[in-house]
Structures are given as C-alpha cells and as structure tokens.
Amino acid sequence: MRALAFAVALAGCADVGATRAPIANGVEAPDEASVEASVVALVDARGDLRCSGALIAERVVLTAAHCAADSARAEPDVAVVFGPRTDEEGVAILEARAHPDWRGEVDADVALLLLAEPASAAPLPLAPGAAAAPPPVSVRLVGYGLTAAGADDDDRRRAGDAVT
C-alpha cells in the first residue's frame, strides 16, 4: 500500500506547478479509525492549507518535494495536522528532505518530513504486492483541498475511490 499511498498523499496538494485543480467527487473522511487518518494536512501559521501528505512511520510523513521545500525553508511555521479538519493543533516539522533528484519540476517531486513528536494516527499499512498489481487497480484517494475552483472549503479531509 505504500506505493499507492504515494499517489494518495500527493493527490490533495494545494498547488502543483502553476496549476491548481480541485478534488472532484470526494466526500468528507472524518473516520479516525480508518486508513484515511494517516493522511495529513500541512498547514501554515494562518491556518491555510499548504499540501497533503501521508504518515508512513511514527514520525515520518511522505509529501511532495515542493511542499517540503516551503516547509523547511520559506515557512518554518508549517505544521502537520492530523484529523478531518485543518483547524486542529499541528505537530512541528523538525526536518524536511526532498528527493535528491528533485529540481523543482514534476520529476522526483517527493519528500520526507521528520516530525518533532510521534503522530496521533497510525502509519499507513504496507499492503504486499499492491504496487505490482496490473491495471485496472482500484485505489482510495484521500487528501485536503478545494472541491471546485473558487471554493473556500479546503479545510476538510476528503476521500473517494478511483480506478487506474
């Protein structure tokens, strides 16, 4: 499932390059006991959503490199929020490491964040063989983001199913 979690975590990024796209057909995903609880929001000091990510270990979040660059460099007060809404208290980020091949483009746009304390949610479970499944594959998409262009509703975690 970790290979699939990568796609899930990055599906809700607030900004990819110069294009912003809404999360389409998602429903609120408040169930803390489910795998959705492993999907987190990166929120700035004003409470604005920056990106989504996925908890892959007790203190490690997988996200996009363009999100990690902002978190570690330009915005040291970005925190990781666990929960169905972005207005909950966040956990500080100690360190952010982008993929060594990331050069500011889509290629290798992946990073790890080290949290200052253990997460309140369980990490995504590892599903043996999930990455090797041939298409079509059903996946669960989870993230924070807008539901439509111009909407003001990126403060909730949403989920939906898709077939690749």
Side-chain angles (χ1 to χ4, degrees):
M1 184 91 153
R2 287 199 181 168
L4 291 179
F6 172 71
V8 170
L10 302 183
C13 278
D15 187 12
V16 177
T19 307
R20 290 183 67 129
I23 295 174
N25 302 319
V27 297
E28 285 192 45
D31 186 2
E32 295 305 313
S34 69
V35 72
E36 284 91 352
S38 302
V39 176
V40 302
L42 278 62
V43 179
D44 66 21
R46 294 183 314 239
D48 293 335
L49 176 68
R50 303 303 305 201
C51 286
S52 293
L55 184 69
I56 61 169
E58 183 181 53
R59 292 180 52 208
V60 180
V61 170
L62 174 70
T63 190
H66 69 270
C67 299
D70 287 346
S71 301
R73 191 181 61 237
E75 301 190 44
D77 52 358
V78 171
V80 175
V81 173
F82 295 86
R85 298 186 62 97
T86 60
D87 59 358
E88 299 181 27
E89 188 170 333
V91 175
I93 300 167
L94 286 182
E95 187 175 350
R97 295 251 175 125
H99 189 285
D101 293 337
W102 185 66
R103 304 286 182 260
E105 300 294 327
V106 175
D107 291 341
D109 190 7
V110 63
L112 298 174
L113 306 176
L114 177 63
L115 302 178
E117 59 190 65
S120 59
L124 283 171
L126 180 62
V137 175
S138 293
V139 294
R140 183 81 170 153
L141 302 175
V142 182
Y144 296 80
L146 301 173
T147 57
D152 186 25
D153 60 354
D154 62 354
D155 63 338
R156 292 176 207 106
R157 182 174 54 213
R158 293 187 173 78
D161 297 312
V163 177
T164 63

